[in-house]
């Protein structure tokens, strides 16, 4: 598999994992109140979208800008990993989100769900995509290479010959 395709695949995997972390349970209080990732932080989703956009732009960029964007993707992945480790809301923050929590019992058991693990895996996938892009940016094919004119063909009168044939009533495509 070409490195360019592998970077694309890793970026899509990161998008899926970080997107899932927004909709899966991040924290549960007393096994009754569940807080999804998007309730607590919107960072994983925004980091995933920014990472995918950066990877798409790398396809259009030259080698130097491609490396800069790849470093940005690495930083976005590091931020996603940091969010996965740092977002552990306390009771005060959870009661601010849902005031009804204070009306129940005096004891609270806060458990962490699976969403931080998905955010962690998505962040690692973004870091891997960025590192692979930094290391292989010089070997990537430019997106505009297939649309550029061949200088040898541009110097010939091939185009002029075709116009002369059309003027003479001939079909130059045959």
């Amino acid at each position: 598999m070409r490195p360019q395709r592998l970077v694309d695949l890793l970026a899509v995997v990161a998008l899926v994992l970080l997107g899932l972390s927004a909709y899966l349970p991040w924290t549960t209080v007393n096994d009754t109140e569940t807080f999804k990732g998007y309730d607590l932080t919107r960072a994983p989703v925004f980091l995933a979208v920014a990472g995918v956009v950066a990877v798409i732009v790398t396809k259009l960029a030259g080698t130097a800008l491609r490396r800069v964007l790849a470093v940005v993707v690495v930083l976005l992945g590091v931020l996603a990993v940091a969010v996965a480790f740092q977002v552990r809301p306390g009771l005060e923050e959870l009661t601010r989100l849902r005031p009804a929590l204070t009306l129940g019992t005096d004891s609270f058991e806060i458990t962490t769900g699976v969403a931080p693990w998905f955010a962690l895996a998505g962040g690692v996938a973004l870091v891997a995509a960025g590192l692979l892009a930094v290391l292989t940016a010089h070997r990537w094919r430019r997106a505009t290479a297939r649309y550029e004119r061949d200088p040898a063909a541009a110097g010939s009168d091939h185009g002029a010959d075709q116009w002369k044939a059309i003027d003479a009533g001939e079909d130059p495509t045959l």
Side-chain angles (χ1 to χ4, degrees):
M1 181 179 283
R2 291 189 356 220
Q4 202 170 359
R5 299 278 185 211
L6 188 57
V7 169
D8 295 343
L9 180 65
L10 285 169
V12 169
V13 166
L15 177 68
V16 168
L17 290 171
L18 289 167
L20 278 174
S21 74
Y23 297 104
L24 294 174
W26 197 289
T27 300
T28 305
V29 179
N30 291 341
D31 294 330
T32 58
E33 289 290 325
T34 302
F35 293 87
K36 295 183 179 179
Y38 205 72
D39 296 335
L40 301 175
T41 179
R42 289 167 175 80
V45 175
F46 292 131
L47 292 170
V49 171
V52 169
V53 167
V55 167
I56 290 171
V57 173
T58 59
K59 298 196 164 299
L60 304 174
T63 304
L65 183 57
R66 191 176 292 146
R67 284 197 170 123
V68 169
L69 289 170
V71 169
V72 169
V73 172
V74 169
L75 293 175
L76 291 171
V78 168
L79 285 173
V81 169
V83 165
F85 282 124
Q86 295 295 324
V87 177
R88 300 287 187 259
L91 185 59
E92 296 166 1
E93 184 178 348
L94 294 175
T95 56
R96 187 172 35 85
L97 291 172
R98 292 209 186 123
L101 282 176
T102 58
L103 301 175
T105 62
D106 291 334
S107 64
F108 293 97
E109 181 184 340
I110 299 173
T111 57
T112 303
V114 297
W117 294 106
F118 279 87
L120 178 67
V124 169
L126 267 182
V127 169
L131 287 176
L132 184 63
V134 167
L135 296 174
T136 62
H138 62 282
R139 294 189 316 195
W140 287 19
R141 208 174 69 178
R142 288 185 20 210
T144 58
R146 68 175 129 181
Y147 302 112
E148 291 178 357
R149 177 179 258 183
D150 183 21
S156 70
D157 288 333
H158 183 66
D161 292 341
Q162 287 183 348
W163 283 111
K164 288 178 185 176
I166 291 172
D167 288 339
E170 299 174 11
D171 186 1
T173 60
L174 297 176

